[in-house]
Amino acid sequence: MSESKLADRFLDAAIGLLRRVRDEESAAVAAAGTAIADTVTAGGRLFAFGAGHSSLAAQDVVYRAGGFAVMNLLTVPGTVGVDVIPATLGSALERVEGLAAAALDVSPATAGDLLVIVSLSGRNALPIEMAQHARALGLTVIGVTSVAYATETEPRNRTGTFLKDHCDIVLDNGIAVGDAELTADGIGTPFAPASTVVTSALMQAMMATAAGVLAERGVEPPLLRSGNVDGGPEWNVRIMDENRDRIFYRR
């Protein structure tokens, strides 16, 4: 099979998944967007967390053009991405109990805030404990995960549960267990993951909904502009100054 055919197959698979979440997750996206708007209206702060490659979708809604200035990345050192050496350490840390509670307890997150937790499998200790502890602290928790893992794999944490069991709202990205969309002759294992594409799209759909809800309420969404367009930096200075108490990625 030619390389171009494989590229077409992957893009078709990704488009199919995007259509599926558009059609099947619209109610959950609306609920998530409304919860975010409610938090912003009430003066609360927004946080996003993901470990490993799930962190990419969390980072995609933090400090970016067209995004909410008040969305902050919540991190657990060593689990944010593949920059840690060895990269396998990040995967190991996801299974360590107690890290989530320790990270939350020293973070600025508090009751009335909202936390989006991204975890494809939702089966490891870190995202599950993060959700549990966040709710115990009084945060609203949105989970973005693949619900298929809850029916096709076993939990890998002492609670015997999955991330979806500890969230106020769940967005299912519809990714199959294993996160690989293609197979081909001569290639011994499935390949071409699509979880980042679909999960990031769900996250942006959720944030777009929140912006629309705020506008309907007569509240200016705290959006950033590109720093590479005329007037963008000045706009961003104003938005950040107006929301300085809810932004933690700047000094």
Side-chain angles (χ1 to χ4, degrees):
M1 176 172 291
S2 70
E3 293 84 350
S4 62
K5 291 293 185 181
L6 286 175
D8 289 347
R9 284 179 54 198
F10 174 75
L11 291 171
D12 287 343
I15 290 167
L17 286 164
L18 289 169
R19 286 175 173 159
R20 176 180 173 183
V21 297
R22 179 197 61 192
D23 296 339
E24 298 181 4
E25 296 302 303
S26 58
V29 169
T34 300
I36 290 169
D38 289 344
T39 302
V40 172
T41 302
R45 290 84 62 86
L46 307 176
F47 297 88
F49 168 79
H53 285 92
S54 290
S55 181
L56 295 174
Q59 293 178 56
D60 193 46
V61 294
V62 177
Y63 184 56
R64 67 162 305 143
F68 277 43
V70 296
M71 178 64 83
N72 303 275
L73 188 67
L74 181 65
T75 63
V76 175
T79 69
V80 175
V82 295
D83 58 326
V84 63
I85 297 175
T88 51
L89 174 61
S91 298
L93 289 175
E94 289 186 57
R95 305 176 194 179
V96 175
E97 297 178 356
L99 283 179
L104 269 174
D105 286 342
V106 298
S107 79
T110 188
D113 294 343
L114 181 144
L115 173 61
V116 183
I117 300 176
V118 185
S119 175
L120 179 62
S121 73
R123 68 193 294 230
N124 291 310
L126 186 59
I128 290 170
E129 290 183 1
M130 186 74 74
Q132 287 180 306
H133 197 56
R135 293 179 86 187
L137 292 175
L139 280 75
T140 298
V141 175
I142 298 171
V144 188
T145 187
S146 169
V147 173
Y149 278 83
T151 58
E152 299 178 32
T153 70
E154 295 297 322
R156 199 153 56 190
N157 63 89
R158 64 178 177 176
T159 70
T161 59
F162 288 82
L163 172 62
K164 72 176 186 63
D165 301 315
H166 303 284
C167 299
D168 298 290
I169 301 167
V170 175
L171 276 61
D172 180 8
N173 58 23
I175 299 296
V177 172
D179 191 17
E181 295 301 318
L182 302 182
T183 58
D185 293 340
I187 301 177
T189 187
F191 60 102
S195 61
T196 303
V197 174
V198 181
T199 303
S200 291
L202 269 177
M203 297 282 280
Q204 294 297 347
M206 173 184 72
M207 300 308 297
T209 300
V213 172
L214 287 170
E216 288 175 357
R217 296 175 179 176
V219 178
E220 181 186 13
L223 296 168
L224 295 170
R225 289 183 177 176
S226 171
N228 296 310
V229 300
D230 293 343
E234 293 79 13
W235 172 280
N236 292 341
V237 167
R238 176 180 69 84
I239 293 295
M240 287 186 172
D241 284 346
E242 291 175 356
N243 296 280
R244 65 173 64 89
D245 294 337
R246 297 193 280 180
I247 297 173
F248 302 102
Y249 52 79
R250 62 174 293 190
R251 294 189 184 275

